[in-house]
Amino acid sequence: MKKEAIILTQNLKTMKFLKPLIFTFLLVTVAACSDDDDLPGIINEEEVITTLSVTLTPDGGGTAIVLTSTDLDGDGPNPPTIVGGTLAANTNYTGVIQALNELENPAEDITEEVAEEDDEHQFFFQAVGPNLNISTTYSDFDDDGNPLGINFSLTTGDAGDGTLRVTLRHLLDKFAAGVSDGDITNAGGDTDIEVDYSISVQ
Amino acid sequence: MKLLFTYVFISFRLLYAFPQQCNYTLKGEIKDFHDGKPLVGTTLSLIKDDTVVQSIISDLDGKYIISNVCLGRFELTVSHPNCKPKRILINIEGHTIKNVNLEHHLENLDEVLIIGERQEKGITKATSVQTLKTDVIEQFSDASLGDALRELSGVSSLNTGSTIVKPVIQGLNSSRILIITNNVRLQDQEWGIEHAPNVDLNTADRITVIRGSGALQYGGDAIGGVVLAKPAALATKDTLFGKTLLSGSSNGRGGSVSSTINKGFNSGFGLRLQGSFKRFGDFRAPDYFLTNTGTQQKAISINFGVNTFLYGLEAYYSYFDTELGILQAADFGNLTDLIRAINLPVPEIIEDFSHNIGLPRQEVAHHLVKLNSYFRLKRLGKLSFQYSFQFNDRQEFDNRSFLDDDIPVVDLELTTHNFDALLDIDTVENSKITAGISILFQDNFADPVTEVRRVIPDYEKFGIGTFAGIAYTITEDLTLDLGARFDFTHIDAQKFYISSFFEERGYAIDFADIIVEDFGTQILTNPVFNFTNFSSTIGLGYTINKDIDLQINYGLASRPPNPSELFSEGLNQASVAFELGDLRIKEEIANKIALTLKGSLFNQRLNFNLTPYANFITDYIVLEPTEDGVTQTGRGAFQEFEYLQNDARFFGVDFDATYDINKQLHYKTSLSYLRGDDTERNRPLINIPPANWHNSISYNNSAFKNLNLQLKSETVFRQTRFPNNNFIGRTVEDNQFVDVLVDVSTPPPGYHLLHFDSSIQFNLNTITTLQLGVSVNNILNTTYRQYLNRFRLFADELGRNITLRAKLNY
């Protein structure tokens, strides 16, 4: 057999080998391209707290003060809309927090999930500013006896303006020094929410 | 072929009964299969019953005549010094003409080892390359590709903690570097700064780095460079051999095992099985454990095929699976957390040692299937085809606030098909010509199971590229290398945007036509991009004298934006910052010039390589802080960056030299320096590797069990040129708001480390050798931080590590 003939056979073999290869390639390409019509489904973030409201009811009765923070575009560019409130001086309030995800329809109450995982979460309240006289104490606790903070009581002192910072931490060290007294300094963990409400005590 | 011979053989047996007549001639011509040229000095022997009847040598025209040949069946052996010998069965029934083509130029076979510096496929002589050889790769058997590559001057790494290591070539990383494993371009979401290349280092026999775009065969977008990890060739003759590497390390309290077995047959069929396993627990900085930095890696590969001179056919499959723990203390929420983490002298979370890989972590699996074949065409060259399939499945897990932690926060599935055809023409005088076509189809699927909005959207990508190159030997001392490539890329994405983001970026005006459906808070869009890119290389190699070579390389590379640069629009957990992509981003174009002077002096005792280079990049894509610098969300404030395009300029020099003090003592030094500037904003570029200087002294005694002792010193200077991205953050201290300067820019101080490595070899029998090695990294347990580590603000680098290695060759 002449060498040329062998080469020819080789080339034929090439073609034979290539045909299924090209075919497979085209098939795969076509198959993959035909996916085009399947539009991806929308994902509404499950874990976003869009809305945090703090309801403060005076112990002696009267109109409740509601502080709100709403950020309906989640991680979008719009900053949250925060509405603060005016409190009466030297008054005790019963506070309750509600966290919502309003990206879901109907809105999902995330407070319940925080309550379920109470050993991994804690709210903190910081009165910020030289003139703001506010103190808070926790009214709800996890199984270890550490505070959670969905329910709390707030006491105002003399008149003054400032900011109430409400923080929700996740996977924090609830046993660290000062944390059970509401001091965030040693808490660590991940911040789920951090809102600065303007407060005027009159 | 065997069948054919058997058939011929049987036919001749039948004819054998004829009476003896011995006055016939056998003549013919011996030619080079390759280019048809006559082969002078070929030895031809006519053999009957295992006895040489006559022997003759071909003349100046490659012709031969054997006279007085008897009738009957003979065997003709044809041999030439540069060729593979040939045995031909021949039947003499009268005067016979037999022309023979020999497979000359054996050295052109990629599969054949050549002494000295071997040229890699796809790279020509005028291109400056650096290579890591098997023995160095083996030292990093339990580490990563990025770790091993740092051995080369001009190559550094961009780390996320200690386990995610991405190579940086002359200041550029990620999408600007092509990683080619086993002749396939790796498609593994390489755009991500915290996505390490999915390569098992143990599959590579040699790793070559091209500091530029000099390998157009693999792509035209190598703005930074190309890493070619190449396995050993399959065995083509009857053999059985293998290798097992074992290593154990004190830091991380783990180790690795890697094994390879090769089987070959004389028919050219070869088979290789390779597997490796690696497991480490938490690594340790000098003063504390880096909690949740353990890793696990499993990899297997199988490769088999036939390789002969005329044709070859191979199949390859590899599976790579890795689980990477990410420093727990670097996982946090907003600006308040960031300020806290930066200010803490030690990470916030330090726990006792554990092998457990908790949260956050990455789990990535990569499958690669490759089919390739080649055919040698007479008087032309070699034609190769390759089809490859890659499937990359990346899952990232993190603490979920209100969902099961077993649901990933990122789940991307990237499927890539590649078809390549390549023609190597090596029959034109003084030239090597390469031309080819490369087709890609890719599909990215972001699994909605995460219940997190897809940052990287679902997309389909189609790419076609054609390239051609010529390496021309002008004179014996001067070689010219020219190449050009043209690429077309089509991207069709399905992206959900937050409506307010779509509005704020001005997309609602500029990209109104891509809206598919408005869901209120989100908008589904269908961005489609077409990019055409041109790239080219020019290389000139000049041998000044027998000791000194000069190479000049110019490369034009052009890269379309990656998915992250186009589509990002949210929090990047790794950097704890918002990163915003831009649909308006165009391709970036690099013009790089490099000069390589290499040579030897003092009777070749001193060898050196000096490479100054300049890289001018038009529309270089960079992340810059946005005008506000900070964005407000319900979780508090975050730093905010956006992708912009500015012109950039890189000037650098890499130098390395070795000096043989005597036969046993060798000194090696390497130095890299680089300046990178944003020429539009007139400020330094971020993440430019600081100047570094490596020195080592080694003792090698081949007479005494190949004993090898090496002391290495690593000096890294402080990076003094950096952009100031510091910003003012508002935090609460002692119940007062305070504005603090958040320093995320200032590079850490320089440092000096000492390392030791040793090995000794025992020949257990004629085929089995055992090599034992001990190495100590960071001998002095020095505390340091690296500028190019994304976690440098939170934790120290690794402390001392003692590794024991054993290698068995059999």
Side-chain angles (χ1 to χ4, degrees), chain B residues 163 252 277-283 290-298 321-328 353-363 397 405-406:
Chain B
T163 45
F277 180 78
K278 180 168 109 174
R279 183 88 168 90
F280 285 98
D282 292 339
F283 288 94
L290 299 162
T291 298
N292 197 44
T293 54
T295 62
Q296 178 172 303
Q297 182 183 306
K298 289 174 275 192
D321 176 300
T322 184
E323 206 175 315
L324 295 163
I326 292 168
L327 185 71
Q328 207 177 326
F353 174 84
S354 163
H355 274 104
N356 182 45
I357 302 170
L359 296 167
R361 70 172 182 277
Q362 302 181 353
E363 290 181 16
F397 298 86
D405 287 342
D406 292 333

Side-chain angles (χ1 to χ4, degrees), chain B residues 705-761:
Chain B
K705 303 200 182 301
N706 211 8
L707 176 70
N708 199 54
L709 303 170
Q710 190 179 27
L711 189 66
K712 290 192 243 184
S713 134
E714 180 182 346
T715 308
V716 176
F717 299 91
R718 181 170 174 269
Q719 178 57 276
T720 52
R721 306 183 75 254
F722 57 92
N724 186 349
N725 288 345
N726 294 344
F727 61 100
I728 304 291
R730 200 165 190 221
T731 185
V732 174
E733 273 173 33
D734 299 326
N735 289 337
Q736 303 301 327
F737 280 117
V738 262
D739 285 340
V740 292
L741 180 75
V742 188
D743 185 356
V744 291
S745 312
T746 311
Y751 55 90
H752 174 246
L753 306 175
L754 278 179
H755 314 297
F756 170 76
D757 187 67
S758 65
S759 67
I760 189 162
Q761 191 172 310

Side-chain angles (χ1 to χ4, degrees), chain A residues 5-76:
Chain A
I6 297 174
I7 301 294
L8 196 69
T9 322
Q10 295 298 343
N11 285 345
L12 283 173
K13 272 186 187 164
T14 316
M15 290 313 294
K16 265 188 186 162
F17 168 72
L18 273 180
K19 257 189 194 162
L21 204 75
I22 292 171
F23 182 73
T24 314
F25 174 75
L26 287 177
L27 195 76
V28 166
T29 311
V30 169
C33 286
S34 63
D35 284 348
D36 265 8
D37 303 335
D38 301 339
L39 293 180
I42 191 165
I43 300 176
N44 284 312
E45 296 269 355
E46 289 272 339
E47 300 181 280
V48 175
I49 298 172
T50 57
T51 310
L52 189 79
S53 43
V54 180
T55 308
L56 298 167
T57 314
D59 281 358
T63 321
I65 312 294
V66 184
L67 314 173
T68 59
S69 165
T70 318
D71 189 6
L72 291 179
D73 75 339
D75 278 355

Side-chain angles (χ1 to χ4, degrees), chain B residues 154-414:
Chain B
V155 185
S156 43
S157 68
L158 178 61
N159 299 9
T160 302
S162 53
T163 45
I164 298 172
V165 185
K166 298 205 76 169
V168 176
I169 301 176
Q170 292 182 335
L172 299 164
N173 64 74
S174 299
S175 293
R176 297 186 177 103
I177 289 180
L178 314 188
I179 295 181
I180 316 293
T181 61
N182 211 328
N183 211 35
V184 176
R185 179 169 175 180
L186 198 63
Q187 299 282 353
D188 61 347
Q189 312 278 17
E190 69 288 342
W191 47 264
I193 237 168
E194 64 285 348
H195 300 174
N198 298 144
V199 183
D200 176 16
L201 192 62
N202 294 298
T203 57
D205 179 56
R206 301 164 64 81
I207 301 174
T208 303
V209 170
I210 304 161
R211 295 173 291 188
S213 58
L216 291 179
Q217 180 189 333
Y218 300 106
D221 48 350
I223 305 268
V226 184
V227 176
L228 286 164
K230 202 181 166 186
L234 283 181
T236 53
K237 57 178 195 218
D238 192 24
T239 178
L240 175 69
F241 61 96
K243 172 171 97 172
T244 297
L245 279 158
L246 273 169
S247 83
S249 296
S250 63
N251 202 337
R253 297 184 201 170
S256 71
V257 54
S258 167
S259 228
T260 312
I261 189 144
N262 288 275
K263 173 72 189 143
F265 301 91
N266 275 339
S267 57
F269 183 82
L271 169 76
R272 176 170 47 236
L273 284 169
Q274 184 267 345
S276 67
F277 180 78
K278 180 168 109 174
R279 183 88 168 90
F280 285 98
D282 292 339
F283 288 94
R284 196 183 156 84
D287 302 321
Y288 45 82
F289 281 109
L290 299 162
T291 298
N292 197 44
T293 54
T295 62
Q296 178 172 303
Q297 182 183 306
K298 289 174 275 192
I300 55 157
S301 69
I302 175 165
N303 190 9
F304 60 89
V306 180
N307 288 290
T308 69
F309 183 80
L310 283 175
Y311 64 92
L313 184 62
E314 268 190 41
Y316 176 85
Y317 169 74
S318 73
Y319 173 68
F320 175 89
D321 176 300
T322 184
E323 206 175 315
L324 295 163
I326 292 168
L327 185 71
Q328 207 177 326
D331 180 38
F332 43 73
N334 62 14
L335 194 59
T336 312
D337 301 344
L338 175 69
I339 294 169
R340 197 177 76 227
I342 291 176
N343 290 338
L344 283 173
V346 297
E348 189 166 273
I349 301 161
I350 297 172
E351 287 169 11
D352 290 340
F353 174 84
S354 163
H355 274 104
N356 182 45
I357 302 170
L359 296 167
R361 70 172 182 277
Q362 302 181 353
E363 290 181 16
V364 191
H366 193 86
H367 298 261
L368 166 65
V369 178
K370 184 183 90 164
L371 298 170
N372 67 301
S373 62
Y374 64 83
F375 305 92
R376 219 162 273 267
L377 306 177
K378 199 173 174 184
R379 284 191 274 278
L380 186 66
K382 192 168 122 175
L383 182 63
S384 320
F385 298 97
Q386 179 173 298
Y387 165 76
S388 68
F389 168 83
Q390 292 179 78
F391 179 69
N392 187 275
D393 188 5
R394 161 170 290 273
Q395 294 189 321
E396 296 179 10
F397 298 86
D398 206 340
N399 283 306
R400 310 282 317 234
S401 298
F402 310 110
L403 286 173
D404 191 341
D405 287 342
D406 292 333
I407 301 170
V409 288
V410 172
D411 192 340
L412 297 173
E413 293 169 14
L414 185 69

